[in-house]
Amino acid sequence: MTQRRLLRKRRRRKQRRNFTILFFCLFVIGTISYSLYEYYAGKSSASDHKSEEQQKQSEEYEDEFQGETDITGKTNVLILGVDSRDEEKARTDTIMIGQYDTEQETAKIVSIMRDTYVYIPGYGYNKINSAFFHGGPELLRQTLKANFDINVEYYAIVDFQGFIQVVDTIAPKGIEIDVEKYMSENLDVELFPGLQRLNGKELLDYARFRQDHENDFGRVRRQQQVIGALKDEFLSIAGVMKLPRVVGTIQPYVDTNMKTTKILSIGKEFVLNPVGDIESLRIPIDGTFWDETYEHAGAVLAINEEENRKALQQFLNEDE
């Protein structure tokens, strides 16, 4: 009798174990299937607008880029904003360095003013955004290294149309922003003062507005404000569930040397171990720049190179 009970218990334990294994396998398969569905749904909703020439250039950028891994394990990404509607060769008007540290659970963003006067290897001194014009993300990486001794491992060239798609994907009802003033000059939309929800197009124009006394300084400040608002919106929803669709949506609009698996891995870490505030810095820092005009470059922001190099180094490496 005792022997029979033991056999029954063993059979029940085996059945429970088999059920657990089966449930786990079904869960994994379901999660993968859902993620793939969301990824391809997002990708199919975003039209692949690249011409054959643009695709060839994207491949050249990836082949040429010689990114360097950060020895501390931080992920440093050169983020560039371009507008594919521009017919002439692009001079990116948004230059940022994004850093994510999974161990310290910190995220940082550096905005570099596009008119900053720096040394461009092989071309001499000019506005930093002309480095992208002459040599794409690789020359811009070399320029950052030469002037600020900063290494980046990855680059991401984001078409502004992709930004619109991402905002409308993660926040169909818009992103809440306190618009500081009436804005319409050189914009495709009219923005009125006050707290409101902006869709992707409106949010992009808000971030790019510069027709006031602050000029590019105001634009950089608003860009950093928008990044913070997007982070809050992403973490306020079921971020893990949205992530595959967001990646699929933006992929046709981004040129990057970062693999999809890496993007998903960073996104998952960011959602599961959310940071508090995204720390931000602007280069040049206050008190270290002045206006100059040169025949070959036009109006530029001349900078105290040593002070700005020191500030950027300290900001990105202060946890070491």
Side-chain angles (χ1 to χ4, degrees):
M1 193 72 173
T2 304
Q3 186 68 22
R4 290 180 180 175
R5 287 200 189 102
L6 287 172
L7 288 172
R8 282 199 297 270
K9 284 183 180 179
R10 286 174 183 169
R11 280 198 298 269
R12 282 196 294 269
R13 280 199 298 268
K14 187 176 180 180
Q15 288 172 346
R16 282 196 297 268
R17 185 171 66 249
N18 290 341
F19 177 78
T20 302
I21 293 171
L22 177 62
F23 177 80
F24 177 76
C25 290
L26 290 173
F27 175 78
V28 170
I29 292 170
T31 300
I32 293 172
S33 299
Y34 173 82
S35 298
L36 288 172
Y37 171 79
E38 287 291 293
Y39 171 76
Y40 285 110
K43 193 171 182 178
S44 65
S45 69
S47 59
D48 191 350
H49 63 297
K50 288 183 184 177
S51 66
E52 187 175 334
E53 184 178 344
Q54 288 173 322
Q55 184 60 41
K56 183 179 177 182
Q57 187 176 65
S58 298
E59 292 169 0
E60 288 176 357
Y61 284 161
E62 187 168 359
D63 290 340
E64 293 170 356
F65 198 75
Q66 302 295 316
E68 299 180 29
T69 304
D70 188 279
I71 59 174
T72 65
K74 298 172 183 176
T75 301
N76 293 323
V77 184
L78 176 60
I79 304 170
L80 308 171
V82 299
D83 192 339
S84 64
R85 298 173 304 174
D86 293 341
E87 294 182 1
E88 63 179 38
K89 195 174 179 181
R91 282 183 175 87
T92 173
D93 69 357
T94 298
I95 302 173
M96 294 180 172
I97 301 172
Q99 183 187 84
Y100 182 50
D101 187 340
T102 54
E103 287 207 7
Q104 299 293 328
E105 295 179 8
T106 59
K108 299 178 180 181
I109 194 81
V110 179
S111 297
I112 302 176
M113 304 286 289
R114 64 178 185 168
D115 291 341
T116 304
Y117 196 59
V118 295
Y119 173 72
I120 300 173
Y123 293 89
Y125 275 84
N126 209 320
K127 297 177 181 179
I128 193 169
N129 72 335
S130 68
F132 181 78
F133 177 84
H134 290 299
E138 170 57 16
L139 184 56
L140 193 42
R141 182 197 69 79
Q142 294 176 22
T143 300
L144 291 172
K145 177 68 175 176
N147 290 271
F148 304 108
D149 196 24
I150 290 296
N151 295 323
V152 292
E153 184 176 4
Y154 301 105
Y155 69 87
I157 306 171
V158 183
D159 185 330
F160 289 131
Q161 298 307 305
F163 175 87
I164 295 173
Q165 294 278 345
V166 168
V167 171
D168 291 340
T169 297
I170 69 172
K173 295 182 180 179
I175 299 288
E176 190 173 86
I177 288 287
D178 191 359
V179 179
E180 59 211 53
K181 65 183 74 174
Y182 175 73
M183 301 177 182
S184 66
E185 190 175 351
N186 287 355
L187 300 183
D188 295 330
V189 301
E190 261 190 312
L191 299 176
F192 295 90
L195 189 66
Q196 55 202 283
R197 286 194 166 272
L198 304 183
N199 62 29
K201 176 57 182 170
E202 293 165 337
L203 195 65
L204 175 64
D205 278 6
Y206 173 77
R208 298 187 73 189
F209 178 77
R210 64 187 186 98
Q211 305 301 318
D212 60 9
H213 69 282
E214 287 187 284
N215 205 295
D216 277 340
F217 290 92
R219 173 158 63 178
V220 165
R221 175 177 56 76
R222 281 186 290 273
Q223 286 174 350
Q224 293 182 342
Q225 176 192 7
V226 165
I227 287 173
L230 280 170
K231 185 267 296 184
D232 291 340
E233 183 71 23
F234 189 74
L235 295 179
S236 69
I237 60 177
V240 175
M241 305 296 284
K242 286 274 188 178
L243 182 60
R245 183 177 286 260
V246 170
V247 173
T249 298
I250 197 174
Q251 194 173 56
Y253 298 95
V254 175
D255 286 340
T256 182
N257 63 331
M258 189 181 295
K259 303 303 181 188
T260 302
T261 51
K262 179 68 175 179
I263 297 172
L264 288 169
S265 174
I266 292 175
K268 183 191 72 174
E269 287 290 334
F270 192 78
V271 171
L272 297 180
N273 302 291
V275 300
D277 292 329
I278 296 179
E279 301 174 59
S280 61
L281 177 73
R282 188 202 69 220
I283 294 293
I285 60 174
D286 289 340
T288 66
F289 63 88
W290 59 95
D291 294 327
E292 290 281 6
T293 302
Y294 298 100
E295 186 175 346
H296 69 286
V300 304
L301 284 178
I303 65 170
N304 182 316
E305 296 177 14
E306 182 180 353
E307 287 297 315
N308 281 283
R309 184 186 303 112
K310 187 189 305 180
L312 186 51
Q313 287 278 343
Q314 182 178 354
F315 180 72
L316 292 178
N317 301 320
E318 63 185 356
D319 297 327
E320 296 177 14

